[in-house]
């Protein structure tokens, strides 16, 4: 029986989806789940949801809870991390409202940019304490890391705790594949694709349809035609309030489709969000302050789930797009699968730093995680990726060396921030954010 530990189990919706997925695999449905969180109320609600899912599945799975991380981790086989350090309030609010004082606007702010840097500074120290505990009580466990900023976190874990068996997980690849299949009118099961890059900045290097005679048809010419059409599904995306105009504009100029949504991608580059160019923001339908809105929606969803718990309405579950259950099943059963994961770049992508976090196809089997090498990333895409890696590297260096200068430099070299603010403004912004985040910052910054 697998012992699967959730750190940050108070992220109830996320926990519900992954446990629901696991219970659909007969080989792992009898797992022992341990839910850990520091919030008593959320932890108890998550326990109720997990038990309801188990009851519906008729499995012999069990659930325990703990507020002590080290006790929860004892003899774990898999550790799933879903916490958000500092929460929506006050930290996410600060990450958005303080930059606005400097006329710096964001959409999501959890991966790169000033918001991503601050989130990395808050999050990595807690991940390091998790790694310390894992080495002490479950050194062979596989860490399934779902926390943003994904690339910074993965890089920082690899830099300080290289023996931890980690894989960073996201749903941008499979989510975008579903969008493309819909836009192209192609059965997703007939699409052959290859993706590589870094988290939220990876690209579909191959996108082909498998024909009935076994040959392949390149789908990119059709995708580029869709780009030229007005008011097509290709320009609406999965979320009607966040059209895909940005990604299709990038496709027009660079020839490849990026895996992350337009609202995310717009703030990783210097071309779309400019305070002195409101026409760009309007024409590309870029939803500023999108992440705080989503946080509010998640809070509402959680409240609705809480009311269902009180009214004894059984939670409903259909298979989610997350990879966690597939990975656990493949490692446990030996039945292989392939996922896209974030790992340390031990030669998997030439042209990127060897210690960076890259997103590549990973074969999962009974022996663990096996990242696959990617050889054919075009130079312009590598060059764009490196602009983001610069920020990630300097953020990790600041944490490793306890060096505030590296934080300033990370922010100054961020593509979006540097396109909007001058050097003195950026330094002042960093100082104000660190000051306002206070206790959520690493001790050496407090």
């Amino acid at each position: 029986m697998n012992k699967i530990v959730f750190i940050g189990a108070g992220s109830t919706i996320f926990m519900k989806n992954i446990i629901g997925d696991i219970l659909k695999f007969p080989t792992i449905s009898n797992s022992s789940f341990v839910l850990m969180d520091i919030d008593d109320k959320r932890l108890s609600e998550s326990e109720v949801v997990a038990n309801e899912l188990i009851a519906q599945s008729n499995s012999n799975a069990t659930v325990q809870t703990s507020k002590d991380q080290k006790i929860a981790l004892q003899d774990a086989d898999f550790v799933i991390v879903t916490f958000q350090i500092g929460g929506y309030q006050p930290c996410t609010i600060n990450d958005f409202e303080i930059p606005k004082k400097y006329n710096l606007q964001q959409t999501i702010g959890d991966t790169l940019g000033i918001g991503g840097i601050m989130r990395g500074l808050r999050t990595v120290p807690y991940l390091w304490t998790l790694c310390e505990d894992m080495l002490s009580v479950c050194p062979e466990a596989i860490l399934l890391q779902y926390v943003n900023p994904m690339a910074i976190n993965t890089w920082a874990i690899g830099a300080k705790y290289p023996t931890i068996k980690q894989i960073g997980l996201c749903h941008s690849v499979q989510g975008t594949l579903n969008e493309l299949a819909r836009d192209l009118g192609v059965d997703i099961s007939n699409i052959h694709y290859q993706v590589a890059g870094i988290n939220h900045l990876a690209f579909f290097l191959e996108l082909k349809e498998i024909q009935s005679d076994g040959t392949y048809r390149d789908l990119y010419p059709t995708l580029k035609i869709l780009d030229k059409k007005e008011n097509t599904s290709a320009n609406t995306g999965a979320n009607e309030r966040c059209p895909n105009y940005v990604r299709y504009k990038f496709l027009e100029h660079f020839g490849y489709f990026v895996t992350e949504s337009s609202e995310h991608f717009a703030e990783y580059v210097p071309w779309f969000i400019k305070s002195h160019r409101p026409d760009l923001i309007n024409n590309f339908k870029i939803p500023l302050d999108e992440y705080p809105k989503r946080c509010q929606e998640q809070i509402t969803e959680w409240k609705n789930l809480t009311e269902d718990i009180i009214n004894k309405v059984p939670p409903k579950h259909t298979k989610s797009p997350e990879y966690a259950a597939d990975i656990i099943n493949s490692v446990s059963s030996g039945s292989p699968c392939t996922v896209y994961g974030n790992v340390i770049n031990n030669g998997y992508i030439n042209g990127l730093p060897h210690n960076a976090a890259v997103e590549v196809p990973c074969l999962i089997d009974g022996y663990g995680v096996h990242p696959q090498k990617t050889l054919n990333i075009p130079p312009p895409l590598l060059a764009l990726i490196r602009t983001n890696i610069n920020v990630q590297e300097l953020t990790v260096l600041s944490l490793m060396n306890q060096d505030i200068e590296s934080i300033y430099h990370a922010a100054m070299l961020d593509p979006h921030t540097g396109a909007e603010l001058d050097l003195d403004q950026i330094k002042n912004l960093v100082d104000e954010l660190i000051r306002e985040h206070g206790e959520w910052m690493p001790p050496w910054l407090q």
Side-chain angles (χ1 to χ4, degrees):
M1 177 183 290
N2 286 311
K3 180 176 179 180
I4 303 170
V5 180
F6 286 80
I7 304 296
S11 180
T12 307
I13 303 298
F14 202 89
M15 179 279 310
K16 166 187 171 291
N17 287 339
I18 293 180
I19 288 184
D21 290 348
I22 291 170
L23 293 172
K24 290 183 178 296
F25 285 93
T27 53
I28 56 174
S29 61
N30 293 334
S31 295
S32 170
F33 299 109
V34 179
L35 312 181
M36 181 269 162
D37 203 280
I38 60 173
D39 187 313
D40 285 316
K41 184 173 185 292
R42 286 221 174 188
L43 186 59
S44 63
E45 290 166 350
S46 292
E47 181 182 18
V48 172
V49 171
N51 276 316
E52 288 287 349
L53 291 169
I54 291 169
Q56 292 176 37
S57 71
N58 296 314
S59 76
N60 293 319
T62 62
V63 178
Q64 294 178 315
T65 63
S66 176
K67 291 185 68 179
D68 187 297
Q69 178 173 277
K70 196 168 186 178
I71 291 174
L73 290 169
Q74 184 72 47
D75 300 323
D77 297 296
F78 301 92
V79 179
I80 300 172
V81 188
T82 60
F83 56 57
Q84 181 180 346
I85 304 301
Y88 170 56
Q89 292 184 324
C91 288
T92 295
I93 295 298
N94 282 337
D95 283 344
F96 275 81
E97 294 305 316
I98 293 173
K100 283 182 188 177
K101 292 164 57 177
Y102 295 79
N103 217 18
L104 181 64
Q105 299 168 301
Q106 299 173 95
T107 58
I108 306 295
D110 68 352
T111 299
L112 208 72
I114 197 66
I117 293 168
M118 290 297 132
R119 186 177 283 229
L121 294 173
R122 298 194 300 269
T123 304
V124 167
Y126 284 88
L127 286 171
W128 281 345
T129 67
L130 172 64
C131 291
E132 286 277 5
D133 287 344
M134 287 180 64
L135 290 177
S136 175
V137 300
C138 59
E140 297 303 312
I142 296 177
L143 175 61
L144 308 179
Q145 204 267 111
Y146 273 102
V147 181
N148 280 318
M150 176 65 66
I152 289 172
N153 295 342
T154 303
W155 192 328
I157 291 171
K160 193 165 184 175
Y161 297 97
T163 62
I164 291 289
K165 300 175 182 177
Q166 65 157 328
I167 181 170
L169 298 172
C170 182
H171 49 246
S172 60
V173 174
Q174 56 270 46
T176 297
L177 183 65
N178 274 297
E179 283 189 56
L180 290 174
R182 186 200 63 233
D183 288 353
L184 291 162
V186 176
D187 188 328
I188 195 169
S189 64
N190 291 331
I191 294 181
H192 166 83
Y193 65 101
Q194 182 189 36
V195 170
I198 60 174
N199 184 237
H200 289 182
L201 195 62
F203 302 91
F204 281 84
L205 305 175
E206 292 185 15
L207 188 65
K208 300 177 180 179
E209 182 182 17
I210 306 171
Q211 306 288 284
S212 57
D213 62 359
T215 59
Y216 292 86
R217 177 175 74 92
D218 187 2
L219 290 170
Y220 261 119
T222 304
L223 196 62
K224 291 173 182 177
I225 291 171
L226 286 179
D227 174 29
K228 302 299 182 183
K229 294 182 178 179
E230 294 292 333
N231 301 317
T232 64
S233 63
N235 282 328
T236 59
N239 188 335
E240 292 297 329
R241 76 183 187 212
C242 304
N244 263 333
Y245 296 134
V246 167
R247 287 203 281 185
Y248 277 90
K249 177 56 69 173
F250 181 83
L251 171 68
E252 176 187 336
H253 287 277
F254 283 79
Y256 291 88
F257 206 80
V258 68
T259 54
E260 192 44 81
S261 61
S262 286
E263 63 271 21
H264 272 274
F265 180 69
E267 62 184 8
Y268 306 152
V269 295
W271 310 309
F272 297 103
I273 304 176
K274 295 180 180 292
S275 58
H276 66 286
R277 290 287 306 278
D279 59 304
L280 288 175
I281 296 168
N282 292 332
N283 292 341
F284 286 102
K285 302 292 190 292
I286 297 170
L288 300 175
D289 294 339
E290 176 66 14
Y291 187 68
K293 295 173 188 174
R294 293 184 188 182
C295 288
Q296 288 290 343
E297 290 168 359
Q298 289 167 358
I299 291 169
T300 299
E301 187 177 2
W302 169 61
K303 287 180 178 178
N304 291 338
L305 181 60
T306 302
E307 290 177 5
D308 285 344
I309 292 169
I310 294 172
N311 296 323
K312 299 188 182 303
V313 178
K316 298 178 182 179
H317 179 74
T318 55
K319 180 69 170 69
S320 81
E322 308 300 343
Y323 285 133
D326 301 87
I327 292 171
I328 294 170
N329 178 65
S330 290
V331 173
S332 303
S333 69
S335 176
C337 73
T338 297
V339 305
Y340 277 86
N342 294 270
V343 296
I344 299 301
N345 184 32
N346 293 320
Y348 303 125
I349 298 181
N350 291 333
L352 298 182
H354 75 279
N355 54 347
V358 295
E359 190 166 70
V360 293
C362 297
L363 173 67
I364 315 294
D365 61 18
Y367 296 97
V369 179
H370 312 284
Q372 306 297 296
K373 189 166 186 174
T374 302
L375 299 174
N376 57 340
I377 301 182
L381 301 186
L382 286 174
L384 178 60
I385 290 168
R386 284 194 291 265
T387 67
N388 282 220
I389 281 182
N390 292 337
V391 180
Q392 297 161 5
E393 180 176 29
L394 287 164
T395 304
V396 173
L397 283 174
S398 76
L399 289 156
M400 294 289 291
N401 300 330
Q402 299 188 5
D403 172 29
I404 194 170
E405 289 297 321
S406 292
I407 304 173
Y408 297 142
H409 294 153
M412 290 168 181
L413 290 171
D414 174 68
H416 174 46
T417 306
E420 289 283 86
L421 306 182
D422 67 36
L423 295 173
D424 289 335
Q425 287 177 312
I426 295 171
K427 183 179 184 298
N428 292 337
L429 171 58
V430 168
D431 286 338
E432 186 171 350
L433 280 165
I434 290 173
R435 187 167 57 251
E436 288 301 315
H437 281 310
E439 64 179 307
W440 298 108
M441 288 285 102
W444 57 273
L445 282 173
Q446 293 178 19

